Amino acid sequence: MSNFVWCHGPGCHKSHTQDRIRGVKGSKVLRTKKVVQDQYNSGERFSMYSYFCSQGCYNDFANKHVREVIAIAPRTEALETPIDVVKEQATNWAGNTYMRTEIKTVDNNGG
Ligand SMILES: [Zn+2]
């Protein structure tokens, strides 16, 4: 007995692929694909691939429902990450020196 969900892509059942064809001659349909829940997309590896058969179906869903998705966690202001910009002299593979700029994240939480 397999455990599965139907792909949530809004147009999954409209893609013209052989593996979506169901039914007998005269009453054939294109059916939404099953997404089998296995060790690659369930438990610790739970992801978008637990609900969608493909990146395309995920994109179709995200584009159709983007307003609802953004409403879950709207961003009303920019986020910032404290950094230090460190310039230091370095040597390349040929032995020539140059100035290297490194961006280092600053941990203000003492951790
Ligand atoms: Zn799909």
Side-chain angles (χ1 to χ4, degrees), residues 54-68:
S54 67
Q55 181 81 50
C57 279
Y58 173 78
N59 288 344
D60 291 346
F61 181 91
N63 287 325
K64 182 177 181 181
H65 299 290
V66 64
R67 287 186 181 91
E68 294 96 317

PDB file of all heavy atoms in Angstrom, residues 54-68:
ATOM      1  N   SER A  54       6.547  18.377  -9.678  1.00  0.00           N
ATOM      2  CA  SER A  54       7.635  19.004 -10.432  1.00  0.00           C
ATOM      3  C   SER A  54       7.821  20.454  -9.994  1.00  0.00           C
ATOM      4  O   SER A  54       6.936  21.043  -9.356  1.00  0.00           O
ATOM      5  CB  SER A  54       7.325  18.975 -11.927  1.00  0.00           C
ATOM      6  OG  SER A  54       6.213  19.811 -12.198  1.00  0.00           O
ATOM      7  N   GLN A  55       8.962  21.018 -10.384  1.00  0.00           N
ATOM      8  CA  GLN A  55       9.222  22.446 -10.146  1.00  0.00           C
ATOM      9  C   GLN A  55       8.172  23.293 -10.863  1.00  0.00           C
ATOM     10  O   GLN A  55       7.727  24.311 -10.351  1.00  0.00           O
ATOM     11  CB  GLN A  55      10.623  22.793 -10.656  1.00  0.00           C
ATOM     12  CG  GLN A  55      11.027  24.231 -10.454  1.00  0.00           C
ATOM     13  CD  GLN A  55      11.516  24.486  -9.058  1.00  0.00           C
ATOM     14  OE1 GLN A  55      12.360  23.753  -8.560  1.00  0.00           O
ATOM     15  NE2 GLN A  55      11.001  25.506  -8.419  1.00  0.00           N
ATOM     16  N   GLY A  56       7.769  22.871 -12.054  1.00  0.00           N
ATOM     17  CA  GLY A  56       6.773  23.618 -12.821  1.00  0.00           C
ATOM     18  C   GLY A  56       5.440  23.688 -12.107  1.00  0.00           C
ATOM     19  O   GLY A  56       4.814  24.756 -12.051  1.00  0.00           O
ATOM     20  N   CYS A  57       4.965  22.571 -11.558  1.00  0.00           N
ATOM     21  CA  CYS A  57       3.705  22.574 -10.813  1.00  0.00           C
ATOM     22  C   CYS A  57       3.822  23.437  -9.560  1.00  0.00           C
ATOM     23  O   CYS A  57       2.883  24.149  -9.198  1.00  0.00           O
ATOM     24  CB  CYS A  57       3.283  21.148 -10.466  1.00  0.00           C
ATOM     25  SG  CYS A  57       2.474  20.290 -11.834  1.00  0.00           S
ATOM     26  N   TYR A  58       4.987  23.402  -8.892  1.00  0.00           N
ATOM     27  CA  TYR A  58       5.210  24.265  -7.725  1.00  0.00           C
ATOM     28  C   TYR A  58       5.145  25.731  -8.126  1.00  0.00           C
ATOM     29  O   TYR A  58       4.488  26.537  -7.462  1.00  0.00           O
ATOM     30  CB  TYR A  58       6.560  23.940  -7.081  1.00  0.00           C
ATOM     31  CG  TYR A  58       6.939  24.881  -5.984  1.00  0.00           C
ATOM     32  CD1 TYR A  58       6.367  24.767  -4.726  1.00  0.00           C
ATOM     33  CD2 TYR A  58       7.849  25.898  -6.204  1.00  0.00           C
ATOM     34  CE1 TYR A  58       6.697  25.640  -3.711  1.00  0.00           C
ATOM     35  CE2 TYR A  58       8.181  26.778  -5.199  1.00  0.00           C
ATOM     36  CZ  TYR A  58       7.611  26.650  -3.948  1.00  0.00           C
ATOM     37  OH  TYR A  58       7.935  27.528  -2.965  1.00  0.00           O
ATOM     38  N   ASN A  59       5.812  26.090  -9.220  1.00  0.00           N
ATOM     39  CA  ASN A  59       5.800  27.475  -9.700  1.00  0.00           C
ATOM     40  C   ASN A  59       4.391  27.923 -10.055  1.00  0.00           C
ATOM     41  O   ASN A  59       3.990  29.048  -9.728  1.00  0.00           O
ATOM     42  CB  ASN A  59       6.726  27.638 -10.908  1.00  0.00           C
ATOM     43  CG  ASN A  59       8.184  27.563 -10.531  1.00  0.00           C
ATOM     44  OD1 ASN A  59       8.549  27.688  -9.377  1.00  0.00           O
ATOM     45  ND2 ASN A  59       9.020  27.335 -11.521  1.00  0.00           N
ATOM     46  N   ASP A  60       3.623  27.061 -10.718  1.00  0.00           N
ATOM     47  CA  ASP A  60       2.242  27.402 -11.079  1.00  0.00           C
ATOM     48  C   ASP A  60       1.418  27.692  -9.827  1.00  0.00           C
ATOM     49  O   ASP A  60       0.661  28.662  -9.776  1.00  0.00           O
ATOM     50  CB  ASP A  60       1.590  26.256 -11.863  1.00  0.00           C
ATOM     51  CG  ASP A  60       2.193  26.089 -13.246  1.00  0.00           C
ATOM     52  OD1 ASP A  60       2.912  26.993 -13.715  1.00  0.00           O
ATOM     53  OD2 ASP A  60       1.949  25.024 -13.858  1.00  0.00           O
ATOM     54  N   PHE A  61       1.571  26.847  -8.810  1.00  0.00           N
ATOM     55  CA  PHE A  61       0.851  27.027  -7.541  1.00  0.00           C
ATOM     56  C   PHE A  61       1.282  28.327  -6.863  1.00  0.00           C
ATOM     57  O   PHE A  61       0.448  29.127  -6.421  1.00  0.00           O
ATOM     58  CB  PHE A  61       1.124  25.833  -6.622  1.00  0.00           C
ATOM     59  CG  PHE A  61       0.419  25.907  -5.303  1.00  0.00           C
ATOM     60  CD1 PHE A  61      -0.839  25.348  -5.142  1.00  0.00           C
ATOM     61  CD2 PHE A  61       1.011  26.508  -4.201  1.00  0.00           C
ATOM     62  CE1 PHE A  61      -1.495  25.394  -3.919  1.00  0.00           C
ATOM     63  CE2 PHE A  61       0.363  26.568  -2.982  1.00  0.00           C
ATOM     64  CZ  PHE A  61      -0.895  26.013  -2.834  1.00  0.00           C
ATOM     65  N   ALA A  62       2.605  28.551  -6.778  1.00  0.00           N
ATOM     66  CA  ALA A  62       3.135  29.742  -6.103  1.00  0.00           C
ATOM     67  C   ALA A  62       2.681  31.013  -6.811  1.00  0.00           C
ATOM     68  O   ALA A  62       2.296  31.990  -6.157  1.00  0.00           O
ATOM     69  CB  ALA A  62       4.657  29.683  -6.040  1.00  0.00           C
ATOM     70  N   ASN A  63       2.699  31.002  -8.136  1.00  0.00           N
ATOM     71  CA  ASN A  63       2.268  32.191  -8.877  1.00  0.00           C
ATOM     72  C   ASN A  63       0.772  32.439  -8.716  1.00  0.00           C
ATOM     73  O   ASN A  63       0.336  33.582  -8.601  1.00  0.00           O
ATOM     74  CB  ASN A  63       2.631  32.058 -10.358  1.00  0.00           C
ATOM     75  CG  ASN A  63       4.117  32.226 -10.576  1.00  0.00           C
ATOM     76  OD1 ASN A  63       4.776  33.010  -9.901  1.00  0.00           O
ATOM     77  ND2 ASN A  63       4.661  31.475 -11.518  1.00  0.00           N
ATOM     78  N   LYS A  64      -0.015  31.384  -8.678  1.00  0.00           N
ATOM     79  CA  LYS A  64      -1.470  31.534  -8.536  1.00  0.00           C
ATOM     80  C   LYS A  64      -1.850  32.039  -7.149  1.00  0.00           C
ATOM     81  O   LYS A  64      -2.767  32.835  -6.988  1.00  0.00           O
ATOM     82  CB  LYS A  64      -2.161  30.191  -8.806  1.00  0.00           C
ATOM     83  CG  LYS A  64      -3.680  30.259  -8.732  1.00  0.00           C
ATOM     84  CD  LYS A  64      -4.328  28.944  -9.085  1.00  0.00           C
ATOM     85  CE  LYS A  64      -5.850  29.062  -9.010  1.00  0.00           C
ATOM     86  NZ  LYS A  64      -6.505  27.780  -9.338  1.00  0.00           N
ATOM     87  N   HIS A  65      -1.095  31.582  -6.108  1.00  0.00           N
ATOM     88  CA  HIS A  65      -1.483  31.883  -4.724  1.00  0.00           C
ATOM     89  C   HIS A  65      -0.485  32.790  -4.005  1.00  0.00           C
ATOM     90  O   HIS A  65      -0.454  32.813  -2.771  1.00  0.00           O
ATOM     91  CB  HIS A  65      -1.644  30.576  -3.939  1.00  0.00           C
ATOM     92  CG  HIS A  65      -2.710  29.680  -4.488  1.00  0.00           C
ATOM     93  ND1 HIS A  65      -4.047  29.965  -4.400  1.00  0.00           N
ATOM     94  CD2 HIS A  65      -2.630  28.509  -5.166  1.00  0.00           C
ATOM     95  CE1 HIS A  65      -4.750  29.009  -4.980  1.00  0.00           C
ATOM     96  NE2 HIS A  65      -3.919  28.121  -5.458  1.00  0.00           N
ATOM     97  N   VAL A  66       0.302  33.551  -4.750  1.00  0.00           N
ATOM     98  CA  VAL A  66       1.369  34.335  -4.120  1.00  0.00           C
ATOM     99  C   VAL A  66       0.836  35.315  -3.069  1.00  0.00           C
ATOM    100  O   VAL A  66       1.461  35.499  -2.019  1.00  0.00           O
ATOM    101  CB  VAL A  66       2.247  35.056  -5.179  1.00  0.00           C
ATOM    102  CG1 VAL A  66       1.439  36.066  -5.957  1.00  0.00           C
ATOM    103  CG2 VAL A  66       3.463  35.682  -4.528  1.00  0.00           C
ATOM    104  N   ARG A  67      -0.312  35.908  -3.291  1.00  0.00           N
ATOM    105  CA  ARG A  67      -0.826  36.874  -2.305  1.00  0.00           C
ATOM    106  C   ARG A  67      -1.165  36.188  -0.981  1.00  0.00           C
ATOM    107  O   ARG A  67      -0.881  36.722   0.092  1.00  0.00           O
ATOM    108  CB  ARG A  67      -2.061  37.592  -2.859  1.00  0.00           C
ATOM    109  CG  ARG A  67      -1.713  38.598  -3.938  1.00  0.00           C
ATOM    110  CD  ARG A  67      -2.942  39.396  -4.376  1.00  0.00           C
ATOM    111  NE  ARG A  67      -2.595  40.333  -5.417  1.00  0.00           N
ATOM    112  CZ  ARG A  67      -2.657  40.049  -6.724  1.00  0.00           C
ATOM    113  NH1 ARG A  67      -3.075  38.879  -7.132  1.00  0.00           N
ATOM    114  NH2 ARG A  67      -2.308  40.952  -7.610  1.00  0.00           N
ATOM    115  N   GLU A  68      -1.784  35.021  -1.044  1.00  0.00           N
ATOM    116  CA  GLU A  68      -2.105  34.287   0.175  1.00  0.00           C
ATOM    117  C   GLU A  68      -0.836  33.827   0.891  1.00  0.00           C
ATOM    118  O   GLU A  68      -0.758  33.849   2.113  1.00  0.00           O
ATOM    119  CB  GLU A  68      -2.990  33.069  -0.134  1.00  0.00           C
ATOM    120  CG  GLU A  68      -4.376  33.418  -0.659  1.00  0.00           C
ATOM    121  CD  GLU A  68      -4.458  33.396  -2.179  1.00  0.00           C
ATOM    122  OE1 GLU A  68      -3.526  33.907  -2.850  1.00  0.00           O
ATOM    123  OE2 GLU A  68      -5.445  32.867  -2.702  1.00  0.00           O
TER     124      GLU A  68
END
